Amino acid sequence: MIIPNTFNLPVTTDNLLTFTSIPHLRTILKDLCNPFIVIGEASNILFTTRHYSGTILKSGISGYEFTESDSHMLVTAGSGLHWDDFVAETTRRNLWGAENLSYIPGTIGASAVQNIGAYGAEAKDIIHSVEAIEIATGNKRIFSCNECQYAYRSSIFKHDLANRYIITSVTYRLSRTPRPNLSYKPLAEAFANNPNPSIEQVRNTVINIRKSKLPEPSEIGSAGSFFMNPVIAQDDYERLKAKYPDIPHYVVNDSVTNQVVGIKIPAAWLIDQAGLKGYTIGGASVHVTQPLVLINKSGSATPDDIVALSQYIINKVKSLYNITLHPEVIFI
Ligand code: EPU
């Protein structure tokens, strides 16, 4: 059977199991053999072969629970829910905090593994706790947001605890009072004359910005940003700036000490300046309005096309700027 994936690659498996509750997951875990992987909507995964010979585990846990807590609402969502359905639901209820993350593909479970982010917000800003089942024992554990060790597109579930836990639900802490986060430039510009927008206005504006830059997920296969934005040393940045005075950059500070830890350079700019917008290998292309996104342009790209295109970009960016791009997408 085909493994659903947002690149729309024709990748197959013989064993795709969807669990719909914790007891169901525990039953599956008793008989689970290696290798296996857990996926949400495979919106951040690149299958590098046409057939995956292990087991694919997918969460089908759905449903919400709402608990009032002071000026906030705690919303527990099943890990298999589509992320943007959650944003639509919480926006409809006037619960603030997820609206800047509107229209991101993927699931609730993935939001907590990946610490999804966009337009000045990250999942970690609203995650209260994460419920997960230990694969080896079937035991349940609740992780506080702090214990998840969130960082840019990263968490403990991608590092120390990779392949050790399966997320079953995530609890978010959302504000019942308006809390517009308009710090990101395109949002600040859109609301320059309206500093107190409604939550629907923020959501709709985010969706329109995404639609103007990113490929429509239902029409063109992609995995969103293919690479992470690199953080380089200050000296390296000064050298690049001498050559490219207009290079966009963001200073990155340590969240505890507030010391400068490096300079973040938009990978989209590096790829754009390298002249790679629209560059194509086989059925795979660099998206023209957001070159950080690699697309299955023809609809018939193979995993090899996408791997070759990503390697070409890494090599070209390295040779031009001496910066190594690291994929955000996970290669399986
Ligand atoms: N840029 C160019 N040429 C282009 C497009 C962009 O030079 O054609 C430069 C511009 O300087 C622009 C900068 O790149 O200011 C940043 O572009 P953008 O605002 O589109 O954001 P990004 O850094 O490329 C990140 C996230 C996106 C998220 C946007 C908006 C990562 C890896 N990507 O992209 O997340 O939607 O910010 O906040 O951090 C994703 O992770 O899949 C994703 C789409």
Side-chain angles (χ1 to χ4, degrees):
M1 67 197 87
I2 296 275
I3 305 171
N5 64 94
T6 60
F7 263 124
N8 298 333
L9 295 173
V11 181
T12 55
T13 179
D14 296 329
N15 213 359
L16 173 65
L17 301 175
T18 302
F19 55 92
T20 51
S21 66
I22 290 177
H24 186 193
L25 173 59
R26 286 186 173 129
T27 310
I28 289 174
L29 290 180
K30 278 187 194 136
D31 300 324
L32 188 64
C33 302
N34 280 321
F36 67 89
I37 55 163
V38 186
I39 65 168
E41 291 169 7
S43 59
N44 205 48
I45 288 177
L46 174 63
F47 289 98
T48 55
T49 57
R50 283 166 179 261
H51 184 78
Y52 179 73
S53 53
T55 300
I56 306 269
L57 273 177
K58 209 170 143 42
S59 173
I61 298 183
S62 58
Y64 297 102
E65 253 177 55
F66 295 85
T67 314
E68 282 186 18
S69 144
D70 53 72
S71 57
H72 287 75
M73 181 78 85
L74 295 180
V75 186
T76 301
S79 56
L81 284 167
H82 180 58
W83 167 260
D84 197 52
D85 287 349
F86 163 80
V87 183
E89 178 66 23
T90 53
T91 302
R92 197 179 62 73
R93 293 171 179 254
N94 251 315
L95 297 171
W96 289 77
E99 62 283 353
N100 288 29
L101 303 175
S102 289
Y103 217 57
I104 294 181
T107 60
I108 289 288
S111 78
V113 173
Q114 176 69 3
N115 186 22
I116 56 174
Y119 307 106
E122 285 185 310
K124 75 169 172 52
D125 305 335
I126 51 170
I127 288 177
H128 171 271
S129 54
V130 175
E131 179 195 76
I133 298 295
E134 189 175 24
I135 291 169
T137 61
N139 291 340
K140 185 160 96 177
R141 177 167 163 193
I142 308 285
F143 293 83
S144 68
C145 182
N146 224 12
E147 287 173 321
C148 295
Q149 297 179 9
Y150 285 122
Y152 172 57
R153 298 294 191 275
S154 170
S155 73
I156 197 167
F157 305 109
K158 287 180 81 170
H159 296 284
D160 294 4
L161 296 185
N163 302 322
R164 298 229 349 242
Y165 282 86
I166 295 178
I167 294 175
T168 44
S169 69
V170 181
T171 299
Y172 304 89
R173 185 169 180 268
L174 301 176
S175 174
R176 294 197 285 148
T177 51
R179 211 188 53 174
N181 170 1
L182 308 177
S183 55
Y184 200 79
K185 203 169 158 217
L187 286 181
E189 285 167 2
F191 291 105
N193 299 318
N194 178 11
N196 296 305
S198 70
I199 195 167
E200 286 85 2
Q201 286 174 318
V202 178
R203 172 167 164 79
N204 290 338
T205 302
V206 167
I207 291 175
N208 288 338
I209 295 173
R210 287 189 78 91
K211 285 188 171 180
S212 70
K213 291 187 179 174
L214 299 167
E216 184 59 35
S218 59
E219 290 164 15
I220 299 178
S222 88
S225 299
F226 195 91
F227 300 102
M228 291 190 274
N229 287 325
V231 177
I232 61 174
Q234 186 124 23
D235 290 354
D236 294 333
Y237 165 70
E238 299 298 344
R239 268 193 290 278
L240 272 178
K241 193 172 175 238
K243 205 166 166 192
Y244 307 97
D246 297 330
I247 189 166
H249 65 284
Y250 310 93
V251 176
V252 181
N253 295 314
D254 184 285
S255 58
V256 181
T257 62
N258 214 27
Q259 302 267 350
V260 175
V261 288
I263 309 290
K264 191 182 268 190
I265 309 289
W269 185 90
L270 298 169
I271 300 169
D272 187 354
Q273 291 295 305
L276 293 177
K277 275 184 169 180
Y279 190 82
T280 298
I281 294 183
S285 290
V286 178
H287 193 51
V288 283
T289 52
Q290 176 32 300
L292 193 48
V293 177
L294 306 190
I295 56 172
N296 178 357
K297 191 173 183 198
S298 65
S300 54
T302 62
D304 284 351
D305 294 342
I306 295 172
V307 172
L309 181 60
S310 67
Q311 200 50 59
Y312 184 84
I313 294 168
I314 290 171
N315 293 344
K316 183 103 186 190
V317 166
K318 178 79 181 164
S319 70
L320 287 174
Y321 313 103
N322 197 27
I323 293 177
T324 304
L325 290 181
H326 295 285
E328 179 189 319
V329 167
I330 295 161
F331 287 51
I332 302 287

